[in-house]
Amino acid sequence: MKRTTLLLGATALAMAPAAVWADAHSERGSSGHLNIIYWQAPSTLNPYLSGGTKEVESASLILESLARFDDTGTMVPWLAADIPTVENGGVSEDLTSITWTIAEGVTWSDGSALTAADFIFTWEYCTHPEGGCAQASSYDGVTAVEAVGDNQVRVVFGSPTPFPYTAFVGSESPVLQAAQFADCLGARAPECTDANFGPIGTGPFVVDDFRPNDVIELSANPNFRFPDRPYFATVTFKGGGDATAAARSVCETGEFDYAWNLQIDPTILADMEAQGNCTVVTAFGTSVERLHLNQTNPDPALGDIRSTAEAGPHPFLTNPIIGQAMSMAIDRALLVEIGYGAGGQPTCNVLPAPELYASTANDACLTQDIAGANALLDEAGIVDTDGDGIREYEGTPISVLYQTSTNAVRQDTQALVKEWWSQIGIDTELRNIDASVFFGGDPASPDTFQKFYADIEMYTNNFAGVDPQAYMANWACDEWPGPDSQWQGSNIQRFCSEEYDALIVEMAGTADLARRGEIARMQNDMLVQSYSIIPLIHRGGVSAHASSIEGIRMSDWDSELWNIMDWRRAE
């Protein structure tokens, strides 16, 4: 049974659904209308076509998974009757399969039954070679998804898989209705506008109207399996604007009930909360604000092949000494002070949590060292030869285009980093792009973070759940975005290492929890010490809700809206 203990050690497993309201005043629709603002507007309601948080979280009101992660990181059954384990027979003794039992009474919002066929189809949809699925890593190692009787789904792995809770677990891996998406496989996936903009789901709400990059109107699912929920009858999910305006719309004007991702001056936010109209909530998980250093050549002169393997390596950012100097020049503590407050912590790791996986090998970056950065570059012979204040590398001036989404805190960060880099002889051009475009999934747009038509870009990313196996697999060599995958792919900086890929394989076959921790820390250190990625801030999710809203249990391990069916307005 030792293997079973290790299998369960990565996360606490709960065997009962989330707590629910039980008083007589709680019934479906009894709280009226709910207004939510995500100042980054969703561009699709199909999370398999966009890795953006705004798409994943808005879709989570409609689409669901077999299991979710609550506000403590505990796995809870959702569409499943319970969590499969070796002990209860749901996970095979050889760790090559997991069998889920679908909970009784689950139907799609159109009244049809949820069946194993929907899960089989979803796996086929995301793993289709021409589909460009943004969540493909959730299905890594899966060789088959099978129906077992009328109400069970078996996920089969090609080798022993100690943490089998990836496929159909968490908000990034929901089930799609096979009947609705049947004609949307492969290259046709982005063309299915009706399905992508109005998916039929099992969740608490249904889509009444979706205007991409603007607003979603939703109403309570009449066929939701809990007859008393959701407590809100209708929801307006508004996108656009900026974080400060979103905070004011909840904390000052009362126009909205919930505002997401309030990345604003922490002093301003505290002053807003002091007015008594709102409550600020924070949850730490694995979110890291980071810099990606393009390992391919983004020169516009290369046309359609730029930022691809065909473009060749970047003229200087593949030299880790340059990335190391850039990292040393940054004062992470100051970035936290001016932009994050209690919602941020300086970090040198792309994988900052849980504790088992958090490395301490890179902590030198916590202390800014501009003098040391200059000495490092000088010693490497990367110097300013023509006296213009800009160092050159093999004849190429070290001038970078540094892009991110439009956001006051991110623009403040850009300005400070540009100044620090100027002190080590690196010239920086700043660019910011509307978040709806930057994080959008339009394969025709030149401005998405996946296309990465710049030298450096900055944003935050994290993963659902508490086991990092699938997340760290994002940096596999075959995860580069490119035209062949409609620019979907998780390896944004185009990092590639055979040694790293070998660690991905080893992690997938390792049951010992201590060794899994070692492997994850090795992966983190390899990424960070390649200086293709520079972690900056371990970010807590910061949102605010109207003081009249009860039941919110904000999670940074899943969609922060994971328990929206339990939200209600206080009487």
Side-chain angles (χ1 to χ4, degrees), residues 20-21 25-34 36 60-62 64 78 109 202-206 218-235 550 561-569:
V20 300
W21 296 100
H25 299 289
S26 297
E27 59 184 31
R28 182 177 294 166
S30 59
S31 287
H33 188 72
L34 178 71
I36 297 174
S60 73
L61 277 67
I62 307 141
E64 297 182 306
W78 214 252
S109 60
T202 60
F205 295 98
V206 297
L218 306 106
S219 58
N221 176 0
N223 291 307
F224 192 48
R225 59 193 175 278
F226 297 104
D228 60 335
R229 287 172 285 165
Y231 300 128
F232 282 99
T234 53
V235 176
E550 297 178 339
L561 308 176
W562 71 280
N563 78 323
I564 194 169
M565 67 178 176
D566 293 333
W567 295 12
R568 68 173 187 175
R569 197 175 302 278

Side-chain angles (χ1 to χ4, degrees), residues 318-342:
T318 53
N319 185 330
I321 290 176
I322 294 174
Q324 183 178 0
M326 297 171 88
S327 178
M328 293 169 66
I330 296 171
D331 186 344
R332 290 163 172 79
L334 183 59
L335 295 180
V336 169
E337 179 183 341
I338 67 166
Y340 299 88

Side-chain angles (χ1 to χ4, degrees), residues 4 7-8 13 83-100 157 161-165:
T4 304
L7 174 68
L8 303 183
L13 302 181
I83 301 294
T85 66
V86 172
E87 293 161 319
N88 64 24
V91 176
S92 64
E93 287 285 348
D94 63 2
L95 307 182
T96 60
S97 71
I98 180 171
T99 302
W100 296 86
F157 301 94
T161 303
F163 192 88
Y165 310 104

Side-chain angles (χ1 to χ4, degrees), residues 38 44 88 93 104 119 165 211 218 263-264 305 309 340 359 430 519:
Y38 271 45
T44 180
N88 64 24
E93 287 285 348
E104 292 185 9
F119 294 92
Y165 310 104
R211 297 195 290 277
L218 306 106
Q263 194 177 6
I264 64 176
I305 69 167
Y340 299 88
S359 172
L430 302 180
I519 295 170

